[in-house]
Amino acid sequence: MFTRSAIMPGEDRKAGWLELFYDLAVVAALGASNDAFIQNPSAETAVFALLALGALFSAWLLTTLIHNRFAIDGIIYRILLLLQMSGILLTAISAGEGESIGWQGGLISLGFVFLTIGGMYA
């Protein structure tokens, strides 16, 4: 299931493919969520872009902290990480105007993202 071991200070560790893919998904979500501001630069979309950036940064930071503090490996962790990436991308897609996913769906998928982070910490 989960295997955790604390990483010792000074221990060298290479980024795995899943960690790199996660970072790529976060960067893609950042670009997609800020397209709403680029398409319609106004005070309202600027506030929305800043809130999306804050939520995205919080999810990335919480996930990175647990991944870098503990050497976690296991099928449940990987499934939670893949589900979290899907939720992040769905949240970013909902930010664009004219998309089939509304802001309600974006909030639901963002809640799902933080639920998977809670599962990782549990």
Side-chain angles (χ1 to χ4, degrees):
M1 300 272 229
F2 278 119
T3 56
R4 292 185 185 194
S5 61
I7 297 173
M8 305 307 287
E11 182 180 334
D12 288 337
R13 197 168 136 293
K14 291 185 177 182
W17 68 269
L18 191 59
E19 187 178 0
L20 294 173
F21 188 66
Y22 178 79
D23 289 341
L24 180 66
V26 170
V27 169
L30 178 64
S33 64
N34 287 325
D35 277 348
F37 176 71
I38 293 170
Q39 292 173 358
N40 181 17
S42 66
E44 181 182 349
T45 55
V47 169
F48 181 77
L50 287 174
L51 289 174
L53 178 65
L56 184 60
F57 178 72
S58 298
W60 175 83
L61 182 64
L62 289 170
T63 303
T64 302
L65 286 175
I66 193 168
H67 190 77
N68 288 336
R69 177 64 178 106
F70 301 103
I72 299 176
D73 195 21
I75 190 71
I76 294 176
Y77 176 77
R78 290 174 187 226
I79 289 171
L80 283 174
L81 198 59
L82 290 172
L83 289 173
Q84 182 183 354
M85 282 188 272
S86 300
I88 286 173
L89 292 173
L90 280 174
T91 303
I93 289 170
S94 72
E97 294 181 22
E99 300 293 332
S100 60
I101 303 172
W103 63 270
Q104 296 92 348
L107 287 178
I108 290 170
S109 60
L110 183 63
F112 181 72
V113 166
F114 285 108
L115 186 67
T116 59
I117 291 172
M120 288 177 186
Y121 275 94

